[in-house]
Amino acid sequence: MTASESCSKAHGSIMMSSYNSIGGNPERRCEILPCCLGRKRRALAVCILVVVTWQSPVAYADTGAENASHDLPMFSFDGFGTLGVVHSNEDNAEFTGSGFTPTGAGFGHTWSAAVDSLIAAQATANVTSKLSAVLQVMSEQNYDDTYTPHVEWANVKYQFTPDFDVRIGRTALPVFMLTDTRNVRYANPWVRPPVELYDLVGVTSNDGVDASYRMPVGAGTNTLQFTAGGSDTRFPVGDSSGDVRARGLRTIADTFEQGFATVRVTYGRAHVTIAEFDPLFDAFRQFGPQGVAIADRYDADNRLVNFFGVGASYDPGKWFVMSELGHFGTHSLLGDNTGWYVSGGPRLGRFTPFATYAARKVESNRSDPGLTVTQLPPSLAAPAAELNATLNAQLASIAVQSTTSMGVRWDFMKDVDCKLQVDHTRNGAGSPGILLDLQPGFRPGGTVNLISASLDFVF
């Protein structure tokens, strides 16, 4: 049995398909642990990622054992990393790639290594043939512009049968096709996953329980995954920070795989609270029934939000194509948003050129008449007008944009790739897109060009 065959047997079809579906180097599909997540800002930012889970595929392949389930090593170590830089031609705003990080390329930093760089390491172990545990620690640009490592995963797993397992603790939130590999950039064809979709849900982990069940369906395999729990995620607010608190979080994901094809459907819901909006809506409620109605329409206090996603990929090895669509309905000041992308490209030896088109639109109000100022006494008219302006500024900031990307991946040596990517983004009328830290000279509705380069590796 070859090393590749041993790895495939040990991980099973689900582990393999997680990498097959994203168009990476087919020679390394058996050697990536899709449970790894992480990012690094600069070449000097270092993180140690410790995982106690199933196994190390490379270590098992070296044993040459015929039965992986009985010959897993107690401990093994792996890692991955990315060194990346991005340039933006927009001088009056910043591209950060996420609403949960404060700095990026653009205003103040024409070039930035904060958006894409990362380094991580992992250790794996098995307690018994059925019981395992995971601890995953990441270092990345945090909400407060520090790079202090934090726990991304921490769970125990029990494999009741070869097809049914349950995990308790902190796990990845399975809302996208690339949930398990979104930050393992070596496992992805692009410099970064399309932000039009992947920035819709910035929360990446869940504290609770999840269960997965696999079953054959015709010539394929169907995997049903259920998640329940909650999460708390910090985000930057000027010189301070805020918190997105999700409770009663539930997701269900159904993935069907047959041959080179994968199809995935996801539904999720949670009650979300963002307390940083409370002062605004408490002030609106002081203006009687009209203000109360506005506050009830837009506040984010225990608000029920929903997510629906669907994706598909086809990867026969010599080329790949994939697409995802997601809708995030918040029924609040955050808006009801839909994002999608389609991407593909051929593999020409060590080179994988690719092209991507991605878009995001909003399906809720981006403006509101607010309080009727003309019916208020002069002493209240000015505060009411200020509240209306604050509300409409927030609604107008909801991202509407489309991006055309072209790039190439070069696997120039074992376990290392180099990527170059060019993005042209057109923001919707009156929208800043996903840009942050808007300066007085910024004009919404314009275009932004990005140039990104990265070096990805696994070890």
Side-chain angles (χ1 to χ4, degrees), residues 356-378:
T356 305
Y357 182 81
R360 183 190 293 188
K361 64 178 182 178
V362 60
E363 290 146 345
S364 56
N365 295 336
R366 294 189 58 235
S367 65
D368 192 285
L371 297 167
T372 305
V373 178
T374 57
Q375 297 181 359
L376 296 172

Side-chain angles (χ1 to χ4, degrees), residues 14 35 90 208 252:
I14 301 305
C35 64
E90 176 55 71
I252 185 168

Side-chain angles (χ1 to χ4, degrees), residues 96-223:
T96 67
S98 169
F100 291 83
T101 53
T103 63
F107 174 72
H109 304 86
T110 303
W111 290 88
S112 174
V115 178
D116 299 305
S117 297
L118 65 95
I119 189 169
Q122 73 174 25
T124 67
N126 296 283
V127 181
T128 70
S129 63
K130 292 183 177 292
L131 181 65
S132 57
V134 175
L135 173 64
Q136 186 179 98
V137 181
M138 288 177 22
S139 175
E140 58 182 333
Q141 183 187 199
N142 298 317
Y143 68 93
D144 56 358
D145 202 20
T146 66
Y147 305 91
T148 305
H150 61 273
V151 175
E152 184 73 5
W153 286 20
N155 62 76
V156 294
K157 172 182 174 181
Y158 193 80
Q159 193 82 32
F160 288 90
T161 73
D163 296 321
F164 176 63
D165 65 74
V166 174
R167 295 184 296 178
I168 299 175
R170 179 169 295 180
T171 59
L173 188 63
V175 292
F176 301 117
M177 288 188 70
L178 306 186
T179 289
D180 288 338
T181 57
R182 63 187 296 177
N183 291 317
V184 186
R185 304 300 170 82
Y186 181 86
N188 300 331
W190 328 282
V191 170
R192 70 189 70 87
V195 295
E196 283 76 7
L197 178 67
Y198 277 74
D199 190 48
L200 273 183
V201 183
V203 176
T204 61
S205 62
N206 171 65
D207 293 336
V209 60
D210 81 3
S212 296
Y213 179 68
R214 294 182 297 274
M215 58 184 174
V217 176
T221 301
N222 194 80
T223 302

Side-chain angles (χ1 to χ4, degrees), residues 321-343:
V321 63
M322 65 183 302
S323 180
E324 288 185 85
L325 179 146
H327 175 75
F328 190 46
T330 71
H331 313 292
S332 72
L333 193 64
L334 301 177
D336 298 339
N337 310 287
T338 298
W340 65 276
Y341 73 88
V342 59
S343 183

